[in-house]
Amino acid sequence: MRDEQNPYGRSPYGSSPYGREPEEHGGTGGRAARRQSAGGTGRRGPRRSPLVVVGRTALALSSGLILLASGVSWAAYNWVSSGLNTSDALSAIGGKNAPKHLDNSVNLLLIGLDSRKDMNGNDLPREFVKDQLHAGSSDIGYYNTNTLILMHIPADGGKVTAFSVPRDDYVQTLNGDGSSQGHFKIKEAYGNAYTVAHDKLSAQGLKGADLEAKSREAGREATLATVQNLLQVPIDHFAEVNLLGFYDIAKVLQPIEVCLKHPVKDRYSGADFGAGHQQLNPKQALAFVRQRHGLDNGDLDRTHRQQAFISSVTHKLKSQGVFGDLGKLQGLFDVVKKDLVIDSKFDVLDFAQQATNLTGGNVEFHTLPIAGFGTRNRESVNLVDVPKIQAIVQSMIGGKSGSSGNSSSSDGGKSSPSTKAAPATVDVLNGSGKTGGAAEELKALTGMGYTAGKATNFAPRQKTTVVYGAGAQEAGQQIASKLGTGSAVSSSAVPAGHVHVVLGKDYTGPPASGSDSSSGGSGSSDDSKGSGGAPSPVPSNAFAGDSVKEGGIPCVN
């Protein structure tokens, strides 16, 4: 039986690990949580404790960086490459709708997979899942990609720019062949494709490890196609790490040093740390990257924790000389080889030339912004201004934004930087509590071509809404799409020809000037670059929170 909200049907392994969405965003339950059990009884699987809020994926990404940046010699290369798990997913999606490179730079996607299964689909050890993580039974795990980080390695070997894509971003997800799955959280692209492939192949008689491997390949293809389409950059290589590798790497490298701006104590994740520098054992490290309750920005702050953890691990590896010691490397490789997957065209020795960039403090992590929060298909999601994030990425790494015919706003409506503003007078009412919010948003909307109305304060409210009067429906829907508020609504209380934008506490501000020509920037994204597609700077406030720079132990919330 397939879920009425999701054509991708049930999980072959039972219920989702996510249970219901946290009440802080008003969610009522995830896609996989509504699946029936494999036996078809309709019984919901064991509900995951809040203690296991997903976020531990950062450890996996650290594992990937350890392996990928460590080809120190030909001997090491032969030893490593002989035992790697490789994937042909990138070759399978080919160049379908992929933007082209402007130079010889490399774009590497790091995928942190929240699955409590091994490569053959078997449950992870009980003592790991239940005793160490307090995560309940292994049979409730599923296949969400809860961490996605695109690393842009420039052709000249300069600074590496990394972009974290928030896992709950509500976007158009694709299958590996480029067909649309519909609109889902970006983390669900993998699981959606996995489920369809698993059901189809199982019906054909495929079983065991082969069934698991082919189903996961479909998931990887979908994730790669979705991220490539969303950001409008080609993906050259990828690395995927699953849950078991996270813990093992932390165990090998303990203690892990991190730094917190404020003391935290969270009963859900088990995080209990003072302010300042901390030396963490593996269980504490998991709590550090899992916590989101009690943090000002919830999931987004947790993303910064993940970035800081990667920075701390790579700093330790370099400062302790691990990359120059083949014996130490072998101990690390023994841990990650069984849990890491890389694309089949990845040349570890060639990539090692970039190791100093990845481990020498020459990486800066940015969290891509969201346009607010919403509820779609009974799930709490991040609303996304797709043209805005494409423009930000392209401005920083060089290229052209908005070139995909499949790009769309987080509500499914087409939203392009070149869309002509429909005639309307726009009034902005500020209920966000942000000083000057109405004036800055009115300025941005006027720059897009709408007629300026009034900017005024309004009673505090949680959500940003767009309401239009007679004759202003087209403009209202355009603005709602660009702001990620959901559909605009009509009201006789709004004067004819007017659109009222009422800002709520979810308001994040207009795009920075020059980062998105659809939002008042002057000129196209190409005009803001130097010759040869060179990157142009993007203000730090264009991102979700502070960026995290490698090269030490960054302090985060």
Side-chain angles (χ1 to χ4, degrees), residues 364-550:
E364 188 167 9
F365 293 92
H366 308 282
T367 303
L368 292 174
I370 65 172
F373 302 106
T375 301
R376 301 290 181 270
N377 298 328
R378 303 196 300 269
E379 295 185 81
S380 297
V381 303
N382 298 334
L383 301 177
V384 182
D385 185 338
V386 174
K388 174 180 177 178
I389 64 173
Q390 286 180 356
I392 288 174
V393 171
Q394 301 297 341
S395 292
M396 295 193 70
I397 69 176
K400 297 181 179 180
S401 63
S403 59
S404 171
N406 291 329
S407 303
S408 63
S409 72
S410 61
D411 280 310
K414 298 294 180 181
S415 181
S416 165
S418 60
T419 300
K420 183 178 180 181
T425 298
V426 180
D427 304 305
V428 183
L429 294 76
N430 188 10
S432 69
K434 179 180 179 181
T435 302
E440 69 176 7
E441 185 58 40
L442 182 60
K443 180 179 179 181
L445 292 171
T446 302
M448 293 162 57
Y450 301 103
T451 300
K454 62 182 179 181
T456 186
N457 290 326
F458 195 70
R461 57 191 296 115
Q462 292 295 320
K463 302 292 184 181
T464 299
T465 58
V466 177
V467 186
Y468 60 86
Q473 179 178 2
E474 183 179 359
Q477 298 296 359
Q478 285 180 350
I479 293 170
S481 177
K482 292 178 185 299
L483 295 180
T485 64
S487 297
V489 296
S490 63
S491 173
S492 59
V494 178
H498 282 243
V499 174
H500 282 184
V501 178
V502 186
L503 305 180
K505 292 182 179 179
D506 59 351
Y507 174 66
T508 57
S513 178
S515 66
D516 185 351
S517 59
S518 69
S519 298
S522 57
S524 69
S525 58
D526 290 329
D527 292 336
S528 64
K529 299 177 178 60
S531 60
S536 62
V538 172
S540 60
N541 61 6
F543 300 103
D546 296 335
S547 297
V548 174
K549 296 181 180 180
E550 257 193 21

Side-chain angles (χ1 to χ4, degrees), residues 69-217:
S70 302
V72 294
S73 68
W74 180 254
Y77 168 71
N78 281 310
W79 182 84
V80 172
S81 61
S82 65
L84 287 177
N85 299 298
T86 60
S87 164
D88 292 323
L90 268 175
S91 298
I93 68 172
K96 300 184 183 72
N97 301 316
K100 304 301 181 183
H101 269 297
L102 296 180
D103 53 27
N104 293 322
S105 59
V106 173
N107 295 320
L108 166 67
L109 182 66
L110 300 179
I111 301 172
L113 184 65
D114 183 52
S115 169
R116 286 178 269 176
K117 307 284 182 179
D118 65 17
M119 291 293 181
N120 295 324
N122 300 314
D123 292 347
L124 295 183
R126 173 184 172 85
E127 62 272 16
F128 169 66
V129 175
K130 185 174 182 179
D131 299 335
Q132 291 298 313
L133 300 183
H134 303 281
S137 172
S138 291
D139 63 4
I140 60 173
Y142 206 61
Y143 295 86
N144 283 345
T145 54
N146 283 317
T147 299
L148 294 167
I149 299 180
L150 181 77
M151 305 190 77
H152 175 76
I153 305 167
D156 62 2
K159 183 178 73 174
V160 176
T161 302
F163 301 98
S164 289
V165 184
R167 67 189 183 116
D168 288 340
D169 281 5
Y170 184 71
V171 300
Q172 182 184 52
T173 59
L174 304 180
N175 295 306
D177 62 3
S179 62
S180 175
Q181 295 180 352
H183 275 69
F184 294 92
K185 296 179 181 181
I186 194 167
K187 69 180 182 183
E188 296 179 310
Y190 194 118
N192 286 343
Y194 173 97
T195 301
V196 170
H198 189 281
D199 288 351
K200 179 179 178 180
L201 294 170
S202 181
Q204 294 172 357
L206 200 63
K207 298 179 180 179
D210 288 341
L211 174 61
E212 181 73 6
K214 290 184 181 298
S215 300
R216 288 199 187 190
E217 278 291 87

